[in-house]
Amino acid sequence: MDFVFCIQDPTDPETHYLYEAIIGAATEATTWRGMYAFATRGGVDQLIEDPVVHDFMHRGGAIDLIVGIDAVTNRQTLERMQELETRHSTFHPRVFWNSTRGLFHPKISHFGYADGRKKLIVGSGNLTPGGLMHNFEGYSVVSGGRRESLDLTSLDAFIARHAADIRPIDQ
C-alpha cells in the first residue's frame, strides 16, 4: 500500500495539482467512481474534456460521478453534464438529492485497474477549476496493489444506503 499526502499550492512552481493526480490515475484505469460536493461547468469541462479522460472513455472506462446540488453546482453545470452523458456512453453523472440539514461534502475519486490495482484520491478540492488547480487544497492518494485490500466498505455502504437519493440529472 502506498500513501501520499499533497498540498496543492498554486504559489509553488513544484506543486502537484489535484487535477494532475486525477488525470494520472485515469491514464490506465478501467473504472472511476467519484463523489464531489460541488461542480462547476469549468471544472467538469476541464476534467471530462481532457484528452486522457477521452481516451479512458474510448477504451470503455466507465465514470460514475455523483455531485452535490446543495450549493455552487448550478443548472448550467448539470445541463453540461447531461450533454456530456449523451456524447459519452460510459459517462454516468448523477446528483445527490440531500433532504437533510447536513451538507453533502465529499471529494473522492476511486479508480480500478484491469490488473486488480486500485487508487483512492480524497481531499478538499471540488470539481471546479479552483479545486482542481487554483486553490490551496490538501489531498491524499492511496494506491493498493492487486493483492492489497483497499477497504471501501464505507463508500459502498453509503451509496447503497442512499440509492434513492442518488438520482439521474433531470428537471
Side-chain angles (χ1 to χ4, degrees):
M1 189 82 53
D2 186 39
F3 174 85
V4 177
F5 175 74
C6 300
I7 292 289
Q8 175 177 289
D9 179 353
T11 68
D12 179 0
E14 301 296 318
T15 201
H16 190 72
Y17 293 98
L18 174 60
Y19 174 76
E20 295 170 327
I22 293 171
I23 294 303
T27 301
E28 296 177 6
T30 55
T31 61
W32 175 2
R33 297 188 299 171
M35 286 197 316
Y36 287 87
F38 312 137
T40 62
R41 181 176 175 145
V44 169
D45 280 344
Q46 182 177 0
L47 204 53
I48 304 303
E49 294 288 20
D50 186 279
V52 169
V53 175
H54 273 237
D55 181 59
F56 169 85
M57 290 187 290
H58 285 111
R59 289 185 282 113
I63 303 173
D64 291 311
L65 180 66
I66 301 167
V67 298
I69 54 175
D70 299 21
V72 179
T73 306
N74 61 24
R75 182 180 194 94
Q76 178 187 34
T77 303
L78 297 173
E79 288 173 350
R80 177 63 172 155
M81 291 192 321
Q82 284 181 309
E83 177 186 326
L84 291 167
E85 181 179 26
T86 301
R87 286 193 4 220
H88 304 288
S89 63
T90 60
F91 178 56
H92 310 290
R94 292 171 290 163
V95 296
F96 184 77
W97 186 262
N98 187 0
S99 58
T100 73
R101 291 181 150 201
L103 188 64
F104 179 75
H105 213 242
K107 293 104 173 164
I108 303 165
S109 277
H110 170 241
F111 296 89
Y113 301 86
D115 64 1
R117 290 178 296 127
K118 49 245 159 232
K119 190 170 285 196
L120 182 67
I121 302 172
V122 180
S124 63
N126 279 297
L127 190 52
T128 65
L132 294 170
M133 291 194 68
H134 303 298
N135 296 343
F136 294 91
E137 304 283 357
Y139 65 93
S140 298
V141 180
V142 181
S143 303
R146 61 181 160 246
R147 292 188 182 100
E148 294 176 306
S149 176
L150 189 59
D151 186 357
L152 298 174
T153 305
S154 180
L155 175 61
D156 296 333
F158 176 88
I159 291 170
R161 188 171 46 260
H162 293 281
D165 300 320
I166 299 169
R167 303 176 181 180
I169 299 169
D170 61 16
Q171 295 302 319

